[in-house]
Amino acid sequence: MPDLGLENSEEIHEFVKQYSGSKPIKRVLIANNGLAAVKCLISIRQWLQKQFNTSSVVSFVCIGTPDEMDAASHYLKLADEIIMAPRGKNSQNFANVDVIVSLALQAKVDAVYVGWGHASENPELPKRLLEHDIIFIGPSTSSIVASGDKIVSTIIAQSIGMPTVDWSGRDVKIAKNEVDFHGLREKATIRTVEEGLEAISKYGIGVPMMIKASEGSWIGIFIEVWIAKFKIRLTGKKEENGKKTSGKIEECSD
């Protein structure tokens, strides 16, 4: 069956109207690589074929890098178009909001899909895309902040009665219609060794304890089995990176 053509297809415009959409999506930028990109390409094309008897009504523009090109990554073989981003770690390409927005504008896409990982948990991306009338295929900025942030998501969970382990923000609760997520994070975050030791004492946090970075330069998550070594561990991480850090500590569950 020939391409329906988004501009002239009453069927597609009626479909968009039926589901209260604002406009048909003709071009999508896939700001991810590997499995996330492949699943997006295959799944949406299968749905388009089933819904409209053709998969060509949407064009997919994939972000490539010199590294991905050298590796002949499979997702690039499935792309309708490839647009290049800088070589290097993901902070230079797939996780870089400035790069993604710039490429989306350059490719003149209607929507951006990020999948999981990389920039998917960065609330700035949907906000920036909205400024350019580009659809973000994913949750809203507020939803990303609420569920993607380690500290805020734990506060929300304990505020609605879900059991949580003892941690440094145990007393912080979210009020109905609360929107100041930054303020909540501030109340529950530890930034110094002294604040950490105070939380351990106040909430009776035992060992082994888990120390999780929320921002800054801590290296992911690590576990400490001796409270006496907590100060050495935390100080060492800060000195190693030479930057301000923040995060939370919690007792490890079985």
Side-chain angles (χ1 to χ4, degrees):
M1 183 175 179
D3 189 338
L4 293 177
L6 282 170
E7 292 296 333
N8 303 313
S9 171
E10 291 185 7
E11 180 183 358
I12 292 177
H13 282 278
E14 281 300 315
F15 181 88
V16 172
K17 183 179 179 181
Q18 178 184 349
Y19 289 94
S20 302
S22 58
K23 62 181 180 180
I25 294 175
K26 296 175 284 186
R27 290 170 62 80
V28 175
L29 177 70
I30 299 181
N32 209 312
N33 56 350
L35 183 60
V38 172
K39 286 180 69 67
C40 174
L41 287 158
I42 293 176
S43 298
I44 295 181
R45 281 176 175 157
Q46 287 178 340
W47 177 82
L48 289 170
Q49 184 67 43
K50 182 178 180 180
Q51 185 68 42
F52 301 111
N53 292 322
T54 177
S55 63
S56 60
V57 294
V58 176
S59 295
F60 293 95
V61 183
C62 286
I63 293 179
T65 67
D67 298 314
E68 297 289 353
M69 297 293 284
D70 291 343
S73 296
H74 183 59
Y75 81 97
L76 294 176
K77 299 175 184 178
L78 301 177
D80 293 308
E81 299 176 33
I82 297 172
I83 190 166
M84 296 299 292
R87 182 190 297 273
K89 53 187 179 180
N90 73 345
S91 60
Q92 305 299 314
N93 38 68
F94 297 105
N96 190 306
V97 171
D98 289 333
V99 169
I100 294 172
V101 173
S102 176
L103 293 178
L105 292 171
Q106 183 180 333
K108 298 180 180 179
V109 297
D110 304 296
V112 171
Y113 169 84
V114 293
W116 57 85
H118 296 315
S120 64
E121 295 181 10
N122 191 330
E124 281 300 307
L125 182 55
K127 180 181 176 182
R128 291 276 303 280
L129 291 172
L130 182 61
E131 293 172 357
H132 297 284
D133 195 30
I134 298 174
I135 296 168
F136 177 74
I137 302 177
S140 65
T141 294
S142 59
S143 296
I144 293 175
V145 172
S147 61
D149 184 280
K150 298 181 183 74
I151 291 177
V152 175
S153 59
T154 305
I155 293 172
I156 292 174
Q158 67 187 17
S159 297
I160 61 174
M162 293 182 65
T164 60
V165 297
D166 289 330
W167 70 293
S168 53
R170 192 178 68 187
D171 290 340
V172 182
K173 297 292 193 298
I174 187 170
K176 187 176 181 180
N177 299 322
E178 174 70 63
V179 293
D180 183 16
F181 293 135
H182 178 72
L184 289 172
R185 292 181 84 260
E186 290 294 303
K187 294 177 182 178
T189 299
I190 63 166
R191 296 172 185 76
T192 66
V193 172
E194 291 71 27
E195 288 179 355
L197 293 173
E198 181 181 349
I200 290 171
S201 175
K202 180 178 180 180
Y203 300 116
I205 298 174
V207 292
M209 71 176 67
M210 184 179 296
I211 305 174
K212 295 183 178 181
S214 63
E215 63 183 11
S217 55
W218 274 348
I219 302 175
I221 300 172
F222 59 92
I223 294 175
E224 184 55 72
V225 296
W226 299 102
I227 290 180
K229 291 184 178 180
F230 173 80
K231 183 175 181 178
I232 298 173
R233 168 81 78 168
L234 194 57
T235 303
K237 285 294 180 185
K238 295 186 73 170
E239 290 178 350
E240 175 184 331
N241 292 281
K243 300 178 182 178
K244 293 182 178 180
T245 62
S246 64
K248 71 172 185 174
I249 53 176
E250 63 185 40
E251 187 169 321
C252 293
S253 57
D254 294 334

